[in-house]
Amino acid sequence: MIRDDAEALRTAAGLAGEFRPGASGRDARRELPRAELDRLTATGLLAITVPAEHGGADVSAVTLAEVFRLLASADASLAQIPQSHFAYVNVLRQQGSPEQQAFFFAEVLAGRRFGNAQSEAGTKHLQDIRTRLADAGDGSYLLTGVKNYSTGALFADWIPVLARAEDDLLHVAYVPADAPGLTVVDDWDGMGQRTTASGTVRLESVPVPAAHVVPHHLTFTGPQLHGAIAQLLHTAIDAGIAAGALAEAVDFVRTRSRPWFESGYESAAEDPLLIQRFGELAVRQRAADALLVAAARAVDTVWAGLDDDSAAEASIAVAAAKAYAGSAALEIADALFEVSGTRAALDSLNLHRHWRDARTHTLHDPARWKIQHIGRYVLNGTRPPRHGLL
């Protein structure tokens, strides 16, 4: 059990140190990080947002974001896996009944993991959810559909499934991973975040008791932080990728790169042009970290007084941080090759994993729409819409 924010940060830093040495090899071999995820779970880190009244550490958003940034700086795939776990812990916190909270928070404290079965491929758009939760007539439901990009499902004890009931309203059904009719297929073949196992979940008349169904649609009927918290964790992953790529570039230039012959220096690290570029990249990385902290603080502040205005301010702060961190991660991961030289392109070194991870992760939702909402808010005072991506 982790008891407070300081212990959570120490634990995350220690785990990042453990996971970093093997990250490149796991990515190259597409070796799923089962042992590493079990190790992470065993520390109690996945329970740090369980409310204090239920026995959890109830850490701040600032701490949670830093936990994800630290993990992603070591292994962006491993950090991605529990993102949905925390998002669906938050769903229970917001819309779960007292009985649901008591049951599922106890599960989380006991080391049970939540996966994710949310997105669907081939639909009209992201929120065109076709998975159905049909009334079975005996106080339970039958769940039918196909989910894609189901990060964490392969490693989960419970798989939260986003579905529409017969009234077309959104619900989350928390389904045990061994439920009859549920199949998790490890068919993820993304170029980046290779070891997240973000494959397919098939649901064929899966029985779900009413006690395991949460009315997610109610989350968006008033001021909410669901989207801001979920996006904050994505922001932390991007910031972590940027930090990891910059650290690798520093190490490579110090230990392996040759100086350009025109520089007149004995080592690449003395080249003033490289020094200039590293300074620019460091500013980008520090700015991404600073915006992440500012966004997390905005979320923490809003918890004390949630209303339309404060929720909008938190969402905008997170949107700004996410848009910036994504571009910083891509620039730094690309610049790693620019500053390191030809040898850095060797496939055997696998330095391209940082760019592949950044490019794959930043496709989760488009930064251009975040910039649109920021512009509308700043210029016209238009609050951002209530959905799970802001």
Side-chain angles (χ1 to χ4, degrees):
M1 289 289 293
I2 289 175
R3 298 296 179 184
D4 55 32
D5 292 64
E7 186 178 358
L9 293 173
R10 288 195 303 271
T11 302
L15 288 173
E18 291 180 30
F19 298 156
R20 185 173 288 107
S24 178
R26 287 191 295 273
D27 174 88
R29 298 185 297 271
R30 197 181 176 271
E31 182 179 292
L32 299 182
R34 295 181 185 275
E36 289 76 16
L37 191 59
D38 286 345
R39 170 78 177 111
L40 187 156
T41 305
T43 66
L45 204 61
L46 295 184
I48 58 175
T49 59
V50 171
E53 58 267 29
H54 289 273
D58 205 2
V59 302
S60 68
V62 170
T63 293
L64 183 62
E66 179 62 5
V67 164
F68 269 78
R69 191 194 71 83
L70 287 167
L71 294 174
S73 72
D75 185 336
S77 287
L78 188 55
Q80 181 68 47
I81 292 169
Q83 192 273 343
S84 292
H85 170 92
F86 284 98
Y88 285 106
V89 168
N90 191 46
V91 168
L92 288 164
R93 186 168 184 156
Q94 299 306 306
Q95 300 301 338
S97 68
E99 295 77 16
Q100 288 172 326
Q101 290 178 349
F103 175 77
F104 282 112
F105 289 154
E107 286 286 281
V108 174
L109 289 168
R112 309 288 188 266
R113 293 191 291 254
F114 291 163
N116 153 49
Q118 178 170 301
S119 296
E120 300 178 12
T123 56
K124 184 176 181 180
H125 52 69
L126 184 67
Q127 296 197 344
D128 180 17
I129 302 296
R130 300 181 183 180
T131 297
R132 290 291 156 177
L133 195 63
D135 189 341
D138 60 356
S140 66
Y141 297 91
L142 293 175
L143 192 58
T144 301
V146 178
K147 297 291 187 176
N148 305 92
Y149 315 120
S150 302
T151 304
L154 193 67
F155 312 105
D157 300 289
W158 291 89
I159 301 178
V161 180
L162 192 62
R164 293 193 183 277
E166 292 173 350
D167 56 9
D168 213 36
L169 295 176
L170 280 176
H171 292 72
V172 175
Y174 289 75
V175 183
D178 60 355
L182 186 151
T183 306
V184 180
V185 184
D186 180 21
D187 57 358
W188 170 243
D189 65 348
M191 69 173 181
Q193 295 195 304
R194 288 175 170 176
T195 62
T196 58
S198 301
T200 301
V201 171
R202 301 186 185 280
L203 306 133
E204 299 178 6
S205 298
V206 177
V208 184
H212 293 173
V213 177
V214 175
H216 192 37
H217 60 95
L218 296 179
T219 302
F220 306 104
T221 59
Q224 51 84 33
L225 290 175
H226 173 76
I229 291 171
Q231 288 293 301
L232 183 69
L233 302 187
H234 284 302
T235 304
I237 292 169
D238 286 339
I241 293 171
L246 184 58
E248 190 126 35
V250 167
D251 180 70
F252 196 96
V253 170
R254 284 177 177 173
T255 61
R256 301 191 186 191
S257 293
R258 296 183 297 177
W260 184 243
F261 71 94
E262 292 179 284
S263 73
Y265 288 95
E266 292 298 316
S267 71
E270 296 174 286
D271 184 339
L273 299 182
L274 278 181
I275 289 171
Q276 174 72 21
R277 187 61 175 133
F278 270 98
E280 294 167 350
L281 298 175
V283 169
R284 286 281 267 160
Q285 189 245 315
R286 285 172 177 260
D289 288 353
L291 284 169
L292 174 66
V293 172
R297 285 177 178 162
V299 170
D300 281 330
T301 299
V302 170
W303 278 123
L306 183 63
D307 58 27
D308 283 328
D309 290 333
S310 63
E313 183 60 34
S315 290
I316 291 297
V318 174
K322 179 65 171 67
Y324 190 90
S327 65
L330 286 167
E331 179 182 347
I332 294 171
D334 178 71
L336 189 162
F337 300 95
E338 170 197 336
V339 298
S340 298
T342 305
R343 188 181 178 191
L346 293 177
D347 192 55
S348 59
L349 295 176
N350 199 24
L351 295 177
H352 47 69
R353 73 185 184 281
H354 300 290
W355 184 88
R356 288 188 287 99
D357 285 343
R359 182 67 282 177
T360 300
H361 184 252
T362 53
L363 296 175
H364 183 272
D365 51 280
R368 60 186 178 272
W369 274 99
K370 297 182 187 302
I371 299 299
Q372 276 284 313
H373 292 306
I374 293 168
R376 292 170 183 171
Y377 181 74
V378 170
L379 186 59
N380 298 316
T382 305
R383 298 189 191 104
R386 295 171 180 160
H387 58 59
L389 297 174
L390 276 172

